[in-house]
């Protein structure tokens, strides 16, 4: 073991400090990236729920000729086609669910309940529950967290390794530049 890399040497202390500072700096950047992505996904979920709520209200208000139970069910099932992350259930004011959720909801859902107009033979009014399945977004955030964590640790290791290797033999001509007089 060389004297320069002794555990208490100045070089070893500077290398440890550089490793800690780079880990802290990269960690702060990674946390900032994670928070921005988390907030963006949350905002997208809220916007999707708001837009779909308005669309459900509009569909039920306009009716498009849907005046009976089967027509309303068909209309709302068509509306949900292609929206795998959304689940809709509709109940009349007495609590009778006449449009149950099309698929089982996961544990990670964001739900919005709102009053809806219904055809007169269904009571004229009811309550809809629109659920956004967050499980795919949470899986994405978990993968992002692991990726950012590995990036912070890996970046710190690379910076520390580069500093530990030092300038190397290729920089020897530059060592004596400070000995030259200024011109």
């Amino acid at each position: 073991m060389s004297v320069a890399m002794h555990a208490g040497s100045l070089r070893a202390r500077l290398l440890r400090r550089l490793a800690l500072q780079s880990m802290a700096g990269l960690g702060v950047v990674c946390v900032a990236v994670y928070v921005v992505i988390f907030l963006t996904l949350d905002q997208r979920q809220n916007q999707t729920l708001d837009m779909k709520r308005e669309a459900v209200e509009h569909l039920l208000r306009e009716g498009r000729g849907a005046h009976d139970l089967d027509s309303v069910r068909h209309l709302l099932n068509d509306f949900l086609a292609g929206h795998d992350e959304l689940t809709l259930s509709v109940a009349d004011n007495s609590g009778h669910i006449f449009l149950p959720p099309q698929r089982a909801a996961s544990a990670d859902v964001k739900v919005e309940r709102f009053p809806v107009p219904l055809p007169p033979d269904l009571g004229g009014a009811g309550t809809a529950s629109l659920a956004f399945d967050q499980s795919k977004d949470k899986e994405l955030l978990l993968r992002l967290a692991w990726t950012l964590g590995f990036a912070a640790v890996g970046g710190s290791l690379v910076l520390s390794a580069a500093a530990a290797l030092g300038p190397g033999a290729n920089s020897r001509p530059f060592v004596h530049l400070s000995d030259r007089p200024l011109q």
Side-chain angles (χ1 to χ4, degrees):
M1 178 178 205
S2 71
V3 175
M5 285 304 287
H6 183 269
S9 73
L10 177 62
R11 180 180 173 143
R13 288 188 310 228
L14 288 174
L15 287 173
R16 279 193 302 274
R17 182 167 289 186
L18 175 65
L20 291 174
Q21 287 175 342
S22 62
M23 177 66 92
L26 289 170
V28 167
V29 170
C30 290
V31 167
V33 168
Y34 183 88
V35 167
V36 166
I37 298 298
F38 173 82
L39 293 174
T40 301
L41 289 173
D42 187 59
Q43 181 182 22
R44 180 186 62 88
Q45 293 167 4
N46 291 335
Q47 287 174 342
T48 299
L49 281 172
D50 288 344
M51 287 177 14
K52 299 306 178 188
R53 177 187 43 80
E54 290 173 9
V56 167
E57 288 172 341
H58 177 75
L59 282 172
L60 290 173
R61 195 175 314 108
E62 297 257 328
R64 295 189 186 177
H67 299 290
D68 62 359
L69 180 59
D70 289 333
S71 298
V72 171
R73 281 183 181 154
H74 181 73
L75 185 68
L76 293 174
N77 284 330
D78 285 351
F79 165 74
L80 289 174
H83 299 285
D84 294 338
E85 72 278 1
L86 292 175
T87 302
L88 176 68
S89 66
V90 180
D92 60 19
N93 281 337
S94 65
H96 173 70
I97 297 175
F98 67 87
L99 181 69
Q102 295 74 19
R103 55 194 154 278
S106 73
D108 297 320
V109 293
K110 185 180 283 192
V111 178
E112 185 169 339
R113 289 179 179 79
F114 50 97
V116 291
L118 296 175
D121 62 334
L122 295 176
T127 303
S129 293
L130 191 59
F132 189 100
D133 184 359
Q134 298 174 305
S135 60
K136 289 181 182 176
D137 287 349
K138 288 192 176 188
E139 288 173 14
L140 173 70
L141 287 171
L142 181 62
R143 286 192 307 269
L144 179 65
W146 279 105
T147 302
L148 291 172
F150 285 133
V153 171
S156 296
L157 290 174
V158 167
L159 286 172
S160 298
L165 294 175
N170 294 336
S171 65
R172 285 206 175 127
F174 300 108
V175 171
H176 299 290
L177 285 178
S178 62
D179 295 338
R180 289 186 171 172
L182 294 174
Q183 295 177 350

